[in-house]
Amino acid sequence: MSNEYDDTSAALDTELAERLANLDEELATRRSVALRTDLDNYDLDEEDLDVLQAVTDDPDAIQYLPAVPVIAIVGRPNVGKSALVNRILGRREAVVEDTPGVTRDRVAYKGEWHERKFSLVDTGGWEPDAKGIDASVAAQAEIAIDLSDLVMFVVDSNVGPTSTDEAVVRMLRKSGKPVFLIANKVDDVRQEPEAASLWSLGLGQPWPVSALHGRGVADLLDAILLVLPEISNVAKQEVGGPRRVAILGRPNVGKSSLLNKVVGEERVVVNELAGTTRDPVDEQVELGGKVWRFVDTAGIRRRVHLSQGADFYASLRTSAALEKAEVAVVLLDVTEVISEQDIRVIDLVIESGRALVLAFNKWDQIDDDRRRYLEREIEQDLAHVAWAPRVNISAKTGRHMEKLVPALELALESWDTRIATGKFNAFLAELAAAHPHPVRSGKQPRILFGTQASSRPPTFVVFTTGFLDPGYRRYIQRRLREIYGFEGSPINLSMRVREKRKR
């Protein structure tokens, strides 16, 4: 079946492309209006009429908005910082687990209280003499304090002040930022006297709260808003319309290294330990003269339902990050064989309808033999995404990073593409003339009318008199790509079979 419509030559492609390029648009529009009018003689339901009336215009203008104030949440590991973030946001955004040290990066979330917007930065637990990955996390917390307008210092009221807390206090005093001392895990009135021991830290009044139950959080936020500036003194201007890029891939392919190289600062904890990034980390970056928002995501684990707590949430959050993104850069490690996991990540992007760029990482470590095998693997395993732009990079050294922006722009341009209804119907008429649909059970399905219902991703709806073979639908999609490009974007083609209205 798949080869039934494959005998089109390159010459015919060129002829078709030329005819469509030289199309009299006024005539094509008149024809499509006539086809649309004729469609009223068929049984159409409400959904059909909605599709036919849908007209979208998508201005992509970048608007600068005032920078929202930034609140950093710091403290020792496992005092309930992420639980407090979730309580303030009113949703489960930060990964919370009973294991200390689950939050490893500084992660920004958008919050709102009494119609005042702010950015909440959840940091990894701060230990003054941390080693290895904990030292990286501590450094992230220090950067977060520097880049905030106000600091919430969270202490476990059941444990009381510790030597680590006193070291954090010294650092906070040096920063000169306004500090709110939060006594967390005060679940009822009987526990409030325990919070009084925190006066000894010399940061003024401790605010007794229970992040788990929400007790005292509203009063705390009311007090914070009195001190918090309306416009941030430290944050970059907010950009209304930057294109959002998700960096995806299985654990340890170099996602965090790529983000750090792009941003130009150690934004993400990078460690040889696979799966060290647990929360999606957003960052606005200027690349190639444009503003982009990169979302670094937790590596997708091998089997979601088998993975331990934090990693299970992180892979769910990868899907959520993909929902927020417009284009996904899927990183593949060229030093390793393309795995089922890599293909699953790519399929996730296609299912979500996002634009796609394939980045082959660690290209500086590849020899000629591996390159030959890799080309064979790409032909076999990635044939279904032959339309995605490919870039060969090294996230660590920054080699060929300049190729990333044109690939992103190409994929997004395809993703945004709209084909005028007149042109699309002329295209369908040309295809049907060159290759009519085969007769099935004595009937030949006819295409009545087609329209692009939406872009992002390009979604086409075709009204027909009968069911189109999957092979014929693939033929339409392939020809769409050949004529209009659509490099880096999935294409959706749906079919609506309608019968003529009985008189």
Side-chain angles (χ1 to χ4, degrees), residues 412-439:
L412 284 165
E413 193 184 328
S414 301
W415 199 59
D416 292 339
T417 297
R418 287 194 72 83
I419 298 175
T421 304
K423 269 193 172 173
F424 184 54
N425 282 286
F427 164 81
L428 291 172
E430 290 276 3
L431 291 199
H435 280 273
H437 191 286
V439 175

Side-chain angles (χ1 to χ4, degrees), residues 149 361 381:
D149 295 291
N361 191 23
D381 300 332

Side-chain angles (χ1 to χ4, degrees), residues 52-326:
L52 293 166
Q53 283 165 4
V55 176
T56 62
D57 53 339
D58 239 333
D60 292 323
I62 292 183
Q63 312 145 320
Y64 284 93
L65 309 174
V68 292
V70 181
I71 302 171
I73 299 188
V74 297
R76 287 184 298 107
N78 223 34
V79 291
K81 296 184 295 297
S82 294
L84 185 59
V85 168
N86 289 336
R87 175 61 60 188
I88 292 170
L89 296 176
R91 57 188 186 270
R92 188 163 192 164
E93 277 271 10
V95 177
V96 178
E97 217 183 73
D98 278 338
T99 319
V102 163
T103 308
R104 290 161 169 174
D105 291 327
R106 61 183 204 277
V107 178
Y109 302 103
K110 293 280 182 267
E112 192 172 329
W113 185 251
H114 292 327
E115 297 183 1
R116 284 270 305 274
K117 288 184 167 59
F118 50 83
S119 184
L120 269 185
V121 178
D122 183 11
T123 65
W126 199 84
E127 290 280 6
D129 53 354
K131 293 184 178 68
I133 192 156
D134 295 325
S136 305
V137 169
Q140 293 271 8
E142 289 189 47
I143 294 169
I145 291 166
D146 284 345
L147 299 179
S148 67
D149 295 291
L150 180 144
V151 179
M152 290 166 72
F153 176 36
V154 185
V155 180
D156 185 338
S157 66
N158 299 330
V159 177
T162 66
S163 58
T164 302
D165 291 330
E166 283 160 14
V168 178
V169 168
R170 283 197 294 278
M171 183 175 67
L172 291 173
R173 281 219 182 93
K174 255 189 276 178
S175 76
K177 300 282 163 82
V179 177
F180 276 72
L181 176 58
I182 318 295
N184 192 23
K185 307 187 183 179
V186 179
D187 296 339
D188 54 38
V189 181
R190 287 170 304 177
Q191 289 176 296
E192 281 194 7
E194 291 173 17
S197 65
L198 299 175
W199 278 94
S200 64
L201 288 169
L203 287 175
Q205 175 197 346
W207 290 82
V209 304
S210 168
L212 200 61
H213 305 297
R215 189 174 178 274
V217 175
D219 292 342
L220 168 67
L221 288 173
D222 287 343
I224 283 174
L225 289 191
L226 296 174
V227 181
L228 198 65
E230 291 277 347
I231 294 175
S232 175
N233 301 315
V234 290
K236 297 172 188 168
Q237 275 185 314
E238 282 287 307
V239 181
R243 308 313 298 257
R244 299 187 65 101
V245 185
I247 301 173
L248 299 187
R250 56 191 171 80
N252 228 27
V253 289
K255 299 183 294 297
S256 298
S257 297
L258 175 62
L259 188 71
N260 285 338
K261 186 55 71 178
V262 161
V263 175
E265 61 168 301
E266 284 290 312
R267 177 75 174 84
V268 182
V269 176
V270 176
N271 198 288
E272 287 301 311
L273 187 64
T276 47
T277 308
R278 290 273 178 77
D279 286 337
V281 180
D282 283 19
E283 182 69 64
Q284 276 182 193
V285 181
E286 194 170 317
L287 266 187
K290 259 190 184 169
V291 179
W292 304 82
R293 173 162 279 167
F294 278 80
V295 184
D296 179 33
T297 59
I300 296 173
R301 307 301 288 178
R302 282 222 157 72
R303 298 283 291 276
V304 167
H305 58 278
L306 289 182
S307 54
Q308 297 293 308
D311 290 326
F312 168 71
Y313 286 124
S315 45
L316 290 184
R317 293 275 299 286
T318 292
S319 301
L322 197 50
E323 284 305 308
K324 287 199 290 183
E326 296 173 298

Side-chain angles (χ1 to χ4, degrees), residues 40-44 498-503:
D40 289 336
N41 298 322
Y42 289 76
D43 281 324
L44 301 176
R498 294 295 174 258
E499 290 180 357
K500 207 152 199 175
R501 202 176 285 132
K502 290 180 174 62
R503 296 200 177 275

Side-chain angles (χ1 to χ4, degrees), residues 64 67 88 213 327 333 353 369 401 468:
Y64 284 93
I88 292 170
H213 305 297
V327 58
D333 184 343
D369 279 352
M401 294 292 276
L468 299 183

Side-chain angles (χ1 to χ4, degrees), residues 322-395:
L322 197 50
E323 284 305 308
K324 287 199 290 183
E326 296 173 298
V327 58
V329 176
V330 175
L331 272 182
L332 300 140
D333 184 343
V334 295
T335 62
E336 293 177 26
V337 175
I338 294 173
S339 66
E340 267 181 54
Q341 224 182 335
D342 291 320
I343 294 163
R344 198 166 74 244
V345 176
I346 290 169
D347 289 344
L348 234 156
V349 177
I350 297 168
E351 282 163 30
S352 72
R354 298 300 178 264
L356 171 67
V357 172
L358 299 177
F360 291 88
N361 191 23
K362 307 186 186 176
W363 198 257
D364 51 340
Q365 298 174 28
I366 193 173
D367 58 24
D368 290 343
D369 279 352
R370 174 69 193 123
R371 195 169 293 166
R372 275 198 300 276
Y373 281 113
L374 180 66
E375 284 302 331
R376 208 172 302 159
E377 285 165 29
I378 290 168
E379 274 174 37
Q380 284 174 356
D381 300 332
L382 303 182
H384 65 306
V385 284
W387 43 264
R390 280 170 51 181
V391 287
N392 305 329
I393 60 166
S394 167

